[in-house]
Amino acid sequence: VCSSDRVLQHHDGVSGTSKQHVAYDYAKRLQAGIDSLLPCTISKLKSIFLGKDNENNYFRDMEYCQLLNETKCDVSVNATRRKAKNKVHLDLYVFVYNSLASERSVLVDLPVGANGTYLVEALDDSDNGASETLVQAQPLPFPNPDERKNPQSDLWVLKFLATSLPAVGAKVFRVRKQTDRDGSSSQENNAVLDILKTQHNLSGRLQKISNGYFDLLVDTDTGDLRRVGRKGIKSLSKWGYYTSFDSEKDFGVSKKENSQNSGAYVFRPITPNQELIVVPTKSSTVVRTSFGTEIHTEYD
């Protein structure tokens, strides 16, 4: 059993309704707890799948990707980068963990280091043996500014379906590079995205997306959903913000008025009737894949 002396479940820490320095301290302590548990968690996973006699002989460089929500994973990218001549790509083993108390299937977005076709094999002990599928890497829709400036960056994502994950358990998938495609630089990434955008905008500004049960009408200029089923909606996906009131800065507010700052437990815009400052849409693309349809929207 893996345990940590850090239990961080305070309602202000979880929800963010605290002062900023408290939120920073909460994040720091939470990260320290994750770091202290990872070695034990990795050891337990290897023991379950490899046995105690072999857990130290294989997967010695096994890592936990903490930034998958940002589509970042150094170990998977480095293992799949384009190799020099006469050198083969490394096999990548991916442990997909299910923390729920019931079986489920999830779509995995795994960052990889090069374009091409990958063989994804689900390894298990069932009578059916290993199930496998060929998957084509896709360009990362919106790389961060640092990666955009690096022409050597290979920004690709491998999407595959992890089915029948056991309750509070994991399955192992082997990812093996099959074919390379030259010229997978950031310039090619942008070119592929432009082609996708052109293809999916051919039918006009409004596109219908359906899963067989209900339809969505999407504005491809803004990424807004205009209709769900038969019901039209004005807006569902706008992003915006309010400017918070700070009495230490002169915003033209009289000293005789209430000087309560916006902060912990208090939501106070700079003026009582301030309008939401909407962040404009830079681009929006409807991308259809073999696993479903995605709406990629980038904001300024």
Side-chain angles (χ1 to χ4, degrees), residues 192-213:
V192 173
L193 285 175
D194 289 339
I195 293 172
L196 285 172
K197 186 180 300 185
T198 301
Q199 289 176 343
H200 296 307
N201 283 342
L202 288 177
S203 59
R205 176 173 175 175
L206 297 179
Q207 285 197 36
K208 185 175 73 172
I209 299 175
S210 176
N211 65 355
Y213 297 96

Short mmCIF file of all heavy atoms in Angstrom, two decimals, residues 192-213:
data_model
loop_
_atom_site.label_atom_id
_atom_site.label_comp_id
_atom_site.label_asym_id
_atom_site.label_seq_id
_atom_site.Cartn_x
_atom_site.Cartn_y
_atom_site.Cartn_z
N VAL A 192 -0.52 20.91 -42.54
CA VAL A 192 -1.54 19.88 -42.39
C VAL A 192 -2.79 20.44 -41.74
O VAL A 192 -3.91 20.16 -42.15
CB VAL A 192 -0.98 18.69 -41.56
CG1 VAL A 192 -2.09 17.69 -41.26
CG2 VAL A 192 0.16 18.02 -42.30
N LEU A 193 -2.60 21.29 -40.72
CA LEU A 193 -3.74 21.89 -40.06
C LEU A 193 -4.52 22.79 -41.01
O LEU A 193 -5.74 22.84 -40.99
CB LEU A 193 -3.29 22.69 -38.84
CG LEU A 193 -2.89 21.85 -37.63
CD1 LEU A 193 -2.34 22.75 -36.54
CD2 LEU A 193 -4.06 21.05 -37.11
N ASP A 194 -3.80 23.52 -41.87
CA ASP A 194 -4.47 24.38 -42.85
C ASP A 194 -5.32 23.55 -43.81
O ASP A 194 -6.43 23.94 -44.19
CB ASP A 194 -3.44 25.21 -43.63
CG ASP A 194 -2.80 26.27 -42.77
OD1 ASP A 194 -3.41 26.62 -41.73
OD2 ASP A 194 -1.70 26.73 -43.10
N ILE A 195 -4.78 22.39 -44.23
CA ILE A 195 -5.53 21.51 -45.13
C ILE A 195 -6.79 21.00 -44.44
O ILE A 195 -7.87 20.99 -45.01
CB ILE A 195 -4.65 20.33 -45.59
CG1 ILE A 195 -3.51 20.84 -46.48
CG2 ILE A 195 -5.49 19.29 -46.34
CD1 ILE A 195 -2.50 19.78 -46.82
N LEU A 196 -6.63 20.57 -43.17
CA LEU A 196 -7.78 20.09 -42.42
C LEU A 196 -8.84 21.18 -42.30
O LEU A 196 -10.03 20.95 -42.48
CB LEU A 196 -7.35 19.63 -41.02
CG LEU A 196 -6.62 18.30 -40.93
CD1 LEU A 196 -6.09 18.09 -39.52
CD2 LEU A 196 -7.53 17.15 -41.32
N LYS A 197 -8.37 22.40 -42.00
CA LYS A 197 -9.30 23.50 -41.82
C LYS A 197 -10.04 23.79 -43.13
O LYS A 197 -11.25 24.02 -43.13
CB LYS A 197 -8.54 24.74 -41.36
CG LYS A 197 -9.44 25.92 -41.01
CD LYS A 197 -8.61 27.10 -40.56
CE LYS A 197 -7.79 26.78 -39.34
NZ LYS A 197 -7.08 27.97 -38.84
N THR A 198 -9.31 23.76 -44.24
CA THR A 198 -9.95 24.02 -45.53
C THR A 198 -10.97 22.94 -45.86
O THR A 198 -12.08 23.23 -46.28
CB THR A 198 -8.87 24.08 -46.65
OG1 THR A 198 -7.93 25.12 -46.32
CG2 THR A 198 -9.51 24.36 -47.98
N GLN A 199 -10.60 21.68 -45.63
CA GLN A 199 -11.50 20.59 -45.95
C GLN A 199 -12.80 20.68 -45.16
O GLN A 199 -13.88 20.48 -45.69
CB GLN A 199 -10.81 19.25 -45.64
CG GLN A 199 -9.71 18.91 -46.63
CD GLN A 199 -8.99 17.63 -46.24
OE1 GLN A 199 -9.09 17.16 -45.11
NE2 GLN A 199 -8.26 17.07 -47.17
N HIS A 200 -12.68 21.02 -43.87
CA HIS A 200 -13.86 20.99 -43.02
C HIS A 200 -14.66 22.27 -43.08
O HIS A 200 -15.72 22.36 -42.50
CB HIS A 200 -13.45 20.68 -41.58
CG HIS A 200 -12.84 19.33 -41.43
ND1 HIS A 200 -13.45 18.19 -41.89
CD2 HIS A 200 -11.67 18.93 -40.88
CE1 HIS A 200 -12.70 17.14 -41.62
NE2 HIS A 200 -11.61 17.56 -41.02
N ASN A 201 -14.14 23.28 -43.76
CA ASN A 201 -14.90 24.51 -43.92
C ASN A 201 -15.55 24.61 -45.30
O ASN A 201 -16.18 25.61 -45.61
CB ASN A 201 -14.00 25.73 -43.70
CG ASN A 201 -13.73 25.97 -42.23
OD1 ASN A 201 -14.44 25.46 -41.38
ND2 ASN A 201 -12.70 26.74 -41.93
N LEU A 202 -15.38 23.57 -46.12
CA LEU A 202 -15.93 23.61 -47.47
C LEU A 202 -17.45 23.68 -47.46
O LEU A 202 -18.07 24.27 -48.35
CB LEU A 202 -15.46 22.38 -48.26
CG LEU A 202 -13.99 22.37 -48.67
CD1 LEU A 202 -13.67 21.06 -49.38
CD2 LEU A 202 -13.65 23.56 -49.56
N SER A 203 -18.06 23.09 -46.42
CA SER A 203 -19.51 23.02 -46.40
C SER A 203 -20.14 24.30 -45.85
O SER A 203 -21.36 24.38 -45.71
CB SER A 203 -19.98 21.83 -45.54
OG SER A 203 -19.50 21.96 -44.22
N GLY A 204 -19.33 25.32 -45.55
CA GLY A 204 -19.87 26.57 -45.05
C GLY A 204 -19.51 26.81 -43.61
O GLY A 204 -18.86 26.01 -42.96
N ARG A 205 -19.98 27.96 -43.13
CA ARG A 205 -19.62 28.38 -41.78
C ARG A 205 -20.24 27.48 -40.71
O ARG A 205 -19.64 27.20 -39.69
CB ARG A 205 -20.06 29.83 -41.58
CG ARG A 205 -19.83 30.35 -40.19
CD ARG A 205 -20.11 31.83 -40.11
NE ARG A 205 -20.01 32.31 -38.75
CZ ARG A 205 -20.11 33.58 -38.40
NH1 ARG A 205 -20.32 34.49 -39.32
NH2 ARG A 205 -20.01 33.93 -37.14
N LEU A 206 -21.49 27.03 -40.93
CA LEU A 206 -22.17 26.20 -39.97
C LEU A 206 -22.08 24.74 -40.38
O LEU A 206 -22.38 24.39 -41.52
CB LEU A 206 -23.64 26.62 -39.84
CG LEU A 206 -23.89 28.04 -39.32
CD1 LEU A 206 -25.38 28.32 -39.28
CD2 LEU A 206 -23.26 28.24 -37.95
N GLN A 207 -21.64 23.90 -39.45
CA GLN A 207 -21.50 22.47 -39.74
C GLN A 207 -22.29 21.67 -38.72
O GLN A 207 -22.34 22.01 -37.54
CB GLN A 207 -20.03 22.05 -39.69
CG GLN A 207 -19.24 22.48 -40.89
CD GLN A 207 -17.94 21.69 -40.98
OE1 GLN A 207 -17.90 20.51 -40.67
NE2 GLN A 207 -16.89 22.33 -41.42
N LYS A 208 -22.88 20.58 -39.20
CA LYS A 208 -23.61 19.69 -38.31
C LYS A 208 -22.73 18.53 -37.88
O LYS A 208 -22.07 17.90 -38.70
CB LYS A 208 -24.87 19.17 -39.01
CG LYS A 208 -25.75 18.32 -38.09
CD LYS A 208 -27.05 17.92 -38.76
CE LYS A 208 -26.82 16.86 -39.81
NZ LYS A 208 -28.09 16.32 -40.35
N ILE A 209 -22.73 18.25 -36.59
CA ILE A 209 -21.99 17.13 -36.02
C ILE A 209 -23.00 16.24 -35.33
O ILE A 209 -23.84 16.72 -34.55
CB ILE A 209 -20.92 17.61 -35.02
CG1 ILE A 209 -19.90 18.50 -35.72
CG2 ILE A 209 -20.22 16.43 -34.37
CD1 ILE A 209 -18.89 19.12 -34.78
N SER A 210 -22.93 14.95 -35.59
CA SER A 210 -23.91 14.02 -35.01
C SER A 210 -23.21 12.78 -34.48
O SER A 210 -22.21 12.31 -35.05
CB SER A 210 -24.94 13.63 -36.07
OG SER A 210 -25.84 12.66 -35.55
N ASN A 211 -23.72 12.26 -33.37
CA ASN A 211 -23.22 11.00 -32.83
C ASN A 211 -24.24 9.88 -33.00
O ASN A 211 -24.10 8.80 -32.42
CB ASN A 211 -22.85 11.14 -31.35
CG ASN A 211 -24.05 11.44 -30.48
OD1 ASN A 211 -25.17 11.65 -30.97
ND2 ASN A 211 -23.85 11.48 -29.18
N GLY A 212 -25.28 10.13 -33.79
CA GLY A 212 -26.32 9.14 -34.01
C GLY A 212 -27.49 9.26 -33.07
O GLY A 212 -28.54 8.64 -33.29
N TYR A 213 -27.31 10.04 -31.98
CA TYR A 213 -28.38 10.23 -31.01
C TYR A 213 -28.92 11.66 -31.03
O TYR A 213 -30.11 11.89 -30.90
CB TYR A 213 -27.91 9.88 -29.61
CG TYR A 213 -27.51 8.43 -29.46
CD1 TYR A 213 -26.18 8.03 -29.59
CD2 TYR A 213 -28.47 7.45 -29.21
CE1 TYR A 213 -25.81 6.70 -29.46
CE2 TYR A 213 -28.11 6.11 -29.08
CZ TYR A 213 -26.78 5.75 -29.20
OH TYR A 213 -26.42 4.44 -29.08
#
